[in-house]
């Protein structure tokens, strides 16, 4: 393996590791590829990865196919995300709305007690949106979200990915629901629960909407990712996946 200087950034080291993996793959297949084949394309792909922040799922599959020396499909990329090997992201092309906040351990979350309407027994409720062993402390305000956010794969967004995976592999339509809604996050730890406006529901009485239109009470957790959003793979997530793979010749 190449030797790195301590002053270089982690991203620089990962990129160098990626180039080394390309070299390993290229060397291993040199006797099987012509000079106009895979070997000639490797340098351009490496440079492209350094310049792009994210890739489409299709492009990510093509890059992984070259790295691993075997066919990798879009379904394979989604499968890696569903199994927790790859962080999948979403690009909110036309923006969307959400309620956001930091995450805290479940044991530190505030609680309050309500009386069950079924048996009149007290029930302890956690304030916030639980995800695994953590809780999102959602703010009251609904804010606009734009750009690329990562998927937690613990809310309704997982069902969207699963449904697309099943569609690509000839499986059944996913008809499940997740009342937590779709949940996304970014590097600084901020998590957001996507929101839909009640006016988008044809069965909702518009007279019940509060003013102004963006009043928090006019929103509810979204059933999934927006139709005009695009699933992507961050270059950093792809490099992280590659860095965890051994260079096998």
């Amino acid at each position: 393996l190449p030797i790195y200087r301590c002053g270089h950034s982690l991203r620089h080291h990962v990129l160098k590791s990626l180039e080394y993996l390309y070299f390993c793959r290229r060397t291993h297949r040199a006797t099987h590829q012509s000079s106009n084949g895979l070997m000639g394309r490797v340098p351009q792909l490496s440079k492209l990865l350094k310049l792009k922040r994210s890739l489409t799922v299709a492009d990510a599959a093509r890059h992984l196919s070259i790295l691993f020396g075997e066919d990798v499909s879009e379904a394979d990329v989604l499968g890696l995300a569903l199994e927790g090997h790859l962080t999948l992201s979403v690009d909110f092309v036309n923006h969307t709305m959400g309620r956001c906040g930091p995450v805290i351990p479940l044991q530190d979350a505030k609680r309050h007690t309500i009386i069950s309407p079924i048996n009149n027994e007290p029930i302890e409720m956690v304030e916030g949106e639980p995800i695994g062993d953590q809780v999102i402390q959602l703010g009251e305000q609904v804010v606009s979200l734009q750009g690329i956010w990562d998927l937690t794969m613990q809310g309704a967004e997982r069902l969207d990915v699963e449904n697309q995976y099943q569609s690509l592999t000839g499986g059944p339509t996913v008809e499940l629901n997740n009342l937590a809604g779709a949940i996304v996050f970014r590097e600084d730890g901020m998590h957001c629960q996507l929101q839909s406006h009640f006016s988008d529901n044809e069965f909702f009485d518009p007279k019940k909407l509060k003013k102004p239109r963006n009043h928090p009470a006019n929103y509810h957790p979204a059933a999934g990712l927006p139709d005009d959003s695009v699933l992507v793979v961050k270059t950093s997530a792809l490099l992280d996946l590659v860095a965890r793979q051994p260079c096998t010749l």
Side-chain angles (χ1 to χ4, degrees):
L1 283 170
I3 298 175
Y4 304 126
R5 296 181 179 177
C6 296
H8 287 160
S9 67
L10 176 60
R11 178 177 175 81
H12 173 82
H13 291 174
V14 173
L15 285 169
K16 285 299 182 182
S17 296
L18 176 62
E19 292 172 355
Y20 177 65
L21 284 170
Y22 274 130
F23 171 78
C24 292
R25 182 61 61 190
R26 182 175 62 182
T27 303
H28 178 55
R29 303 188 67 186
T31 58
H32 305 287
Q33 299 291 339
S34 68
S35 59
N36 295 324
L38 176 62
M39 290 174 61
R41 297 199 306 268
V42 167
Q44 287 76 18
L45 288 172
S46 180
K47 292 178 181 178
L48 183 61
L49 280 175
K50 294 179 183 180
L51 296 174
K52 300 189 70 172
R53 183 190 177 195
S54 65
L55 302 169
T56 64
V57 173
D59 282 342
R62 284 192 285 270
H63 279 282
L64 291 176
S65 294
I66 294 172
L67 285 170
F68 297 152
E70 59 185 81
D71 290 338
V72 177
S73 66
E74 293 183 49
D76 291 327
V77 174
L78 298 181
L80 287 171
L82 288 167
E83 293 173 3
H85 301 300
L86 177 69
T87 299
L88 198 60
S89 304
V90 60
D91 186 1
F92 296 126
V93 178
N94 295 312
H95 301 189
T96 192
M97 306 302 290
R99 293 178 60 202
C100 304
V103 294
I104 61 173
L106 180 61
Q107 62 268 24
D108 296 338
K110 294 182 179 179
R111 291 168 167 78
H112 64 271
T113 301
I114 64 173
I115 301 300
S116 169
I118 299 177
N119 55 18
N120 291 325
E121 294 291 330
I123 302 176
E124 187 179 69
M125 303 292 293
V126 174
E127 296 184 12
E129 188 60 51
I131 53 168
D133 58 355
Q134 296 180 310
V135 174
I136 308 174
Q137 293 183 305
L138 296 173
E140 292 296 328
Q141 296 301 313
V142 178
V143 299
S144 176
L145 307 181
Q146 58 182 300
I148 297 175
W149 290 69
D150 297 333
L151 304 183
T152 66
M153 301 300 282
Q154 298 190 60
E157 75 285 355
R158 182 182 181 87
L159 299 179
D160 286 342
V161 176
E162 178 70 42
N163 189 59
Q164 189 167 335
Y165 174 82
Q166 294 296 334
S167 176
L168 290 171
T169 56
T173 300
V174 176
E175 299 179 348
L176 301 174
N177 295 297
N178 190 315
L179 297 180
I183 301 173
V184 298
F185 71 100
R186 64 188 185 194
E187 291 87 346
D188 63 0
M190 182 65 67
H191 284 59
C192 296
Q193 180 191 62
L194 305 190
Q195 301 286 304
S196 293
H197 201 274
F198 277 116
S199 64
D200 295 331
N201 187 333
E202 60 180 319
F203 300 107
F204 186 80
D205 184 357
K207 296 180 181 179
K208 295 183 179 180
L209 292 174
K210 296 184 179 295
K211 296 182 179 181
R213 187 181 186 281
N214 63 349
H215 192 287
N218 293 335
Y219 290 88
H220 63 91
L225 298 172
D227 292 336
D228 57 357
S229 63
V230 179
L231 291 179
V232 298
V233 178
K234 286 183 178 178
T235 305
S236 57
L238 192 68
L239 297 179
D240 179 64
L241 173 66
V242 170
R244 298 197 304 270
Q245 309 308 311
C247 180
T248 56
L249 300 181

